[in-house]
Amino acid sequence: MIFSRRPWNYPLVLTMNPLIGAIAAGCPAVLKPSELVPTLTELLADLTSKYLDPNAYVVVKGGVPETTHILELRWDHIFYTGNSRVGRLVATAAGRHLTPVT
């Protein structure tokens, strides 16, 4: 029997914690969960559209093309968790608009 050491609850925690902060602060948010967890992404998209204001909270589904597109837009703040290779791309995109990144 092989056990995965990957914490599959972590994508949920990493997505929900910043969202909870945004909701508490009264800020809108766009969520882009990892493309490695499509089932979670579908669940979040369904629950977000059902229970939160769809004009204020949106889930973006997809991979590199979708992420590349949303990084071209102007944001007030970007919260990123992930590897350093993609982190450099996020930081570079954020730097074009002087967007703070956490």
Side-chain angles (χ1 to χ4, degrees):
M1 184 176 278
I2 299 173
F3 292 99
S4 173
R5 293 180 188 245
R6 289 184 171 178
W8 287 105
N9 62 331
Y10 218 61
L12 176 65
V13 172
L14 290 175
T15 303
M16 294 307 290
N17 282 348
L19 176 63
I20 291 166
I23 292 169
C27 299
V30 174
L31 304 174
K32 172 48 188 86
S34 172
E35 62 274 6
L36 301 177
V37 288
T39 305
L40 174 67
T41 302
E42 286 297 326
L43 176 66
L44 289 174
D46 181 48
L47 294 176
T48 300
S49 65
K50 189 180 291 184
Y51 295 108
L52 297 175
D53 180 358
N55 293 318
Y57 305 101
V58 177
V59 176
V60 174
K61 302 180 232 178
V64 174
E66 292 79 11
T67 304
T68 302
H69 175 71
I70 63 174
L71 284 174
E72 293 172 358
L73 304 174
R74 185 178 296 269
W75 300 100
D76 292 327
H77 193 94
I78 298 173
F79 186 93
Y80 172 76
T81 58
N83 65 50
S84 59
R85 182 181 57 80
V86 177
R88 284 187 202 95
L89 298 173
V90 170
T92 300
R96 288 189 196 107
H97 300 293
L98 299 176
T99 303
V101 179
T102 301

